[in-house]
Amino acid sequence: MIQFLLNQELRSEHALDPNLTVLNYLREHLGKSGTKEGCASGDCGACTVVVGELHVDEQGIEQIRYRSLNSCLTFVSSLHGKQLISVEDLKHQGQLHSVQQAMVECHGSQCGFCTPGFVMSLFALQKNSDAPDSQKAHEALAGNLCRCTGYRPILAAAEQACCNKPADQFDSREAQTIARLKAIAPTQTGELNSGDKRCLVPLTVADLADLYDAYPQARLLAGGTDLALEVTQFHRTLPVMIYVGNIAEMKRIEAFDDRLEIGAATALSDCYTALHHEYPDFGDLLHRFASLQIRNQGTLGGNIGNASPIGDSPPLLIALGAQIVLCKGDVRRTLALEDYFIDYRVTARQDSEFIEKIIVPKGHTLFRAYKVSKRLDDDISAVCAAFNLKIDNGVISEARVAFGGMAATPKRAKSCEAVLVGATWNAATVEKACAALAEDFTPLSDFRASKEYRLLSAQNLLRKYFIELQTPHIETRVTAYV
């Protein structure tokens, strides 16, 4: 059985189909049709809901953390122990919520189909903002698409909603909600079981290891932003899933003198602060990683584990020399991330083995990362590049150069690195290294970019890296797009 709060209503579910998304649960099981299906792939934001979880802040204060999610990519099992808020829950005692009222007064709605999703993103923004902030507003709304109004009135609604925001029913019930969430906090493995399909929800790494050993055919579910597409887009059935999002051990970020250790189930939005502090380029790229809804849900381990050749984090992590800790039963092994990827969607992971955490070395001051995509926000890379050199007295002593979108796997450019190591760091060396990239990669052409464009872009990004290190005041790397 799993338990969660539907606003303030306790829901206990056991026999639901584990392949059921929160979107369809709301619409088909509860008759709450305010949440809309637009794309069923996490691109449009019409299905946005907000999930509340217990959270202890840096001052040790216990509170509820509200986050926007795409309900079309969220399986019901991931609600275990949490609070689900949909657009129907905002109106209170006959009065519109302040974010809804702002949308009305700023004329932020026309056809209205996308409006519930915008309202829920605005609600999450309001809950996580102390004052109007245009950058945060753009980030919060980047995952919501509107074809009618343009965005100026919606951004005006965001400013109004976050300016002198009034207390609402969620504020007045916060202590009560915290108490109720504590009362339903999971204490043992939860389960949804419809007879022919099941999803298990362990609470510890040891329990996960045991379950995965017992069900090696199970699919591991973290954020689900990739896995859920098999259900919503390809109409496949997932007979057995194991949800890892309730395992606290796999959601920790620990900082040591020489490294960061990031649990594989840590949401990308939680990774931002630690990675941006150590490597600003990594943080900047995370801001361009899909939408906020996806970053609130998707995990660093999942982005590695699905072995996509266009995943944004693996090239950066490879260039930094990151490692992963793989667990099977009570046996752990540490593997260089670059050795994890074998071929297209083929990895070194053994049966019943899972990624427990990612180890990111500290101290690489010449690390830079670049993403080339058709849109600046919420888009998949055509080319993703990461460069990490060590230069002593003008001579390159170490080089790690990695790319995504250039091969069947995220991959180091070994020929390029061989040209760089031992050479003088100058324009002539860079040109030789650019030529060597043609030996490292034979990229494909697809709807994102041609093979010629990809190779030229990769070479130009290396040139750009050289120019930026020579003139560090130039800050253009995060704005690259096709």
Side-chain angles (χ1 to χ4, degrees):
M1 181 178 70
I2 67 168
Q3 289 188 311
F4 59 93
L5 296 180
L6 181 66
N7 191 9
Q8 291 297 311
E9 177 191 353
L10 177 63
R11 303 289 300 187
S12 299
E13 302 286 1
H14 175 68
L16 284 178
D17 181 351
N19 288 201
L20 182 68
T21 63
V22 171
L23 171 66
N24 289 333
Y25 179 71
L26 287 169
R27 293 180 62 84
E28 298 173 6
H29 288 250
L30 303 180
K32 292 179 176 288
S33 56
T35 307
K36 308 300 184 187
E37 179 178 304
C39 64
S41 60
D43 290 322
C44 74
C47 71
T48 301
V49 296
V50 169
V51 168
E53 295 181 75
L54 287 176
H55 176 69
V56 179
D57 67 15
E58 293 179 355
Q59 287 73 43
I61 299 173
E62 198 168 44
Q63 56 188 202
I64 301 174
R65 182 174 62 186
Y66 294 99
R67 283 186 163 170
S68 56
L69 303 176
N70 293 119
S71 63
C72 72
L73 298 181
T74 307
F75 292 120
V76 174
S77 54
S78 67
L79 297 176
H80 193 30
K82 302 170 187 174
Q83 180 189 28
L84 172 64
I85 301 170
S86 68
V87 69
E88 289 89 351
D89 302 320
L90 298 194
K91 189 176 180 180
H92 184 59
Q93 296 180 346
Q95 298 294 318
L96 293 178
H97 191 276
S98 58
V99 297
Q100 295 172 309
Q101 191 64 42
M103 286 286 281
V104 172
E105 294 177 2
C106 296
H107 309 287
S109 178
Q110 282 192 26
C111 83
F113 189 86
C114 68
T115 302
F118 272 102
V119 165
M120 295 311 295
S121 289
L122 287 175
F123 173 74
L125 173 66
Q126 186 191 69
K127 288 298 179 190
N128 292 291
S129 300
D130 296 323
D133 184 321
S134 61
Q135 183 177 351
K136 286 185 178 180
H138 279 86
E139 180 183 20
L141 299 176
N144 294 81
L145 302 182
C146 175
R147 298 186 65 183
C148 299
T149 66
Y151 296 94
R152 183 179 296 175
I154 300 173
L155 288 167
E159 181 177 3
Q160 177 175 316
C162 295
C163 183
N164 299 318
K165 57 184 180 183
D168 61 15
Q169 67 271 27
F170 300 96
D171 297 322
S172 63
R173 292 195 299 238
E174 183 176 20
Q176 175 189 353
T177 305
I178 289 174
R180 299 194 71 190
L181 287 173
K182 282 183 174 180
I184 65 168
T187 57
Q188 58 185 9
T189 297
E191 181 176 3
L192 279 182
N193 191 326
S194 62
D196 58 337
K197 296 183 283 293
R198 65 192 309 195
C199 180
L200 299 155
V201 187
L203 302 180
T204 67
V205 169
D207 288 343
L208 168 59
D210 289 343
L211 289 172
Y212 207 16
D213 187 55
Y215 301 98
Q217 79 281 14
R219 303 295 297 276
L220 295 186
L221 170 64
T225 56
D226 190 67
L227 182 62
L229 296 176
E230 295 193 24
V231 174
T232 64
Q233 298 293 300
F234 299 102
H235 307 289
R236 296 171 184 158
T237 296
L238 304 176
V240 184
M241 289 186 285
I242 303 175
Y243 175 61
V244 303
N246 280 20
I247 301 175
E249 300 159 88
M250 292 178 62
K251 298 174 76 173
R252 294 176 184 154
I253 301 177
E254 296 181 279
F256 300 89
D257 290 341
D258 61 341
R259 69 193 186 281
L260 294 171
E261 294 191 0
I262 302 174
T266 306
L268 292 165
S269 53
D270 289 332
C271 295
Y272 171 80
T273 299
L275 288 171
H276 185 266
H277 179 266
E278 193 64 33
Y279 300 113
D281 269 37
F282 209 136
D284 290 341
L285 187 136
L286 281 182
H287 266 305
R288 294 183 56 198
F289 190 112
S291 64
L292 182 59
Q293 290 98 316
I294 296 293
R295 296 196 296 275
N296 284 339
Q297 200 164 348
T299 65
L300 189 61
N303 195 236
I304 294 168
N306 66 17
S308 170
I310 51 175
D312 279 344
S313 70
L316 280 65
L317 292 168
I318 289 172
L320 288 169
Q323 299 173 306
I324 55 174
V325 176
L326 294 158
C327 179
K328 179 177 181 179
D330 58 359
V331 177
R332 288 172 172 81
R333 63 181 176 126
T334 301
L335 184 70
L337 181 57
E338 63 192 271
D339 296 331
Y340 178 74
F341 304 105
I342 305 299
D343 203 343
Y344 179 72
R345 300 279 188 175
V346 177
T347 71
R349 187 183 65 83
Q350 302 171 3
D351 288 344
S352 299
E353 190 175 45
F354 58 90
I355 302 172
E356 183 180 4
K357 60 185 173 182
I358 301 97
I359 301 172
V360 185
K362 288 184 176 182
H364 298 283
T365 58
L366 299 183
F367 171 80
R368 300 290 187 274
Y370 308 86
K371 174 174 177 173
V372 178
S373 57
K374 290 189 175 183
R375 294 194 306 267
L376 182 62
D377 291 312
D378 198 8
D379 201 4
I380 294 171
S381 296
V383 176
C384 185
F387 304 101
N388 184 16
L389 301 187
K390 184 177 180 181
I391 302 173
D392 298 312
N393 298 318
V395 176
I396 306 163
S397 57
E398 296 178 22
R400 296 184 69 91
V401 177
F403 286 90
M406 295 289 289
T409 66
K411 182 182 172 186
R412 285 179 69 178
K414 294 293 185 69
S415 297
C416 175
E417 292 175 356
V419 170
L420 292 170
V421 174
T424 302
W425 181 234
N426 57 30
T429 297
V430 170
E431 289 307 311
K432 291 178 183 178
C434 286
L437 286 174
E439 302 172 22
D440 286 310
F441 300 107
T442 307
L444 298 175
S445 294
D446 59 21
F447 66 92
R448 292 187 186 89
S450 67
K451 60 183 180 182
E452 294 85 2
Y453 183 90
R454 282 191 161 101
L455 181 57
L456 181 58
S457 294
Q459 293 168 331
N460 283 342
L461 291 175
L462 178 53
R463 295 181 179 110
K464 185 174 187 175
Y465 175 64
F466 173 73
I467 292 170
E468 287 187 0
L469 290 193
Q470 304 304 108
T471 52
H473 63 282
I474 295 178
E475 294 285 346
T476 59
R477 52 191 175 272
V478 298
T479 60
Y481 58 99
V482 177

